[in-house]
Amino acid sequence: MQLYTDAATEPVTKRSAAGILLIDQGQQHQYKQPLPLGDNHTAEFLAAIAGFKTLLDTFGPGQSVFFFTDSQVVAESVSKAYSKNFNVELQTLLHLQDQCQVVITQWIPESENHGAHQLAQQGLHLKP
């Protein structure tokens, strides 16, 4: 199973949205949702949390997951299991990941996260 997440944030309004792309046996599942107001780094964590919640709700626990994010802060925090500024969000994310059989987290450049990015951009236009 592959999980791609991304967040989009409007700098002026602080509105954010998550884009979630799940690929299971070649089948794509696309999701977008508004997120609470805030900065982009927080939104990236919230998008990852939303992605794992969606994965667990849709496919149940015990999945093996390749998790892709273009947020270096999220990828590094998961790798170290530590974040000075986003500890609450990180602990929530790690708790969700613990419900999976295995999670391999990989940072990818934004140019390789196009699907989740487009979904997050579309999510900004959803009514909160």
Side-chain angles (χ1 to χ4, degrees):
M1 170 115 22
Q2 297 173 343
L3 170 62
Y4 295 80
T5 66
D6 195 20
T9 303
E10 293 177 341
V12 175
T13 64
K14 304 281 190 213
R15 285 187 59 225
S16 296
I20 301 160
L21 178 62
L22 276 167
I23 302 174
D24 178 40
Q25 299 177 5
Q27 179 103 13
Q28 286 193 17
H29 305 270
Q30 301 178 356
Y31 306 89
K32 53 192 170 239
Q33 67 183 62
L35 295 171
L37 298 179
D39 64 88
N40 193 59
H41 289 307
T42 302
E44 291 286 357
F45 275 97
L46 295 177
I49 289 166
F52 274 93
K53 282 183 178 177
T54 300
L55 182 147
L56 291 165
D57 289 347
T58 306
F59 297 99
Q63 303 296 321
S64 296
V65 182
F66 287 100
F67 169 49
F68 299 96
T69 178
D70 61 17
S71 168
Q72 287 185 322
V73 173
V74 170
E76 289 175 7
S77 296
V78 167
S79 169
K80 296 175 185 175
Y82 173 78
S83 175
K84 179 179 178 181
N85 298 316
F86 305 100
N87 192 50
V88 171
E89 294 84 359
L90 175 62
Q91 293 308 315
T92 301
L93 178 57
L94 292 175
H95 174 73
L96 293 167
Q97 289 184 348
D98 284 346
Q99 297 175 51
C100 298
Q101 183 174 340
V102 66
V103 176
I104 298 171
T105 300
Q106 177 71 46
W107 175 84
I108 56 174
E110 190 174 313
S111 62
E112 293 179 26
N113 203 17
H114 188 71
H117 178 76
Q118 286 297 105
L119 291 165
Q121 291 293 322
Q122 292 170 16
L124 284 175
H125 302 291
L126 297 172
K127 300 226 187 264

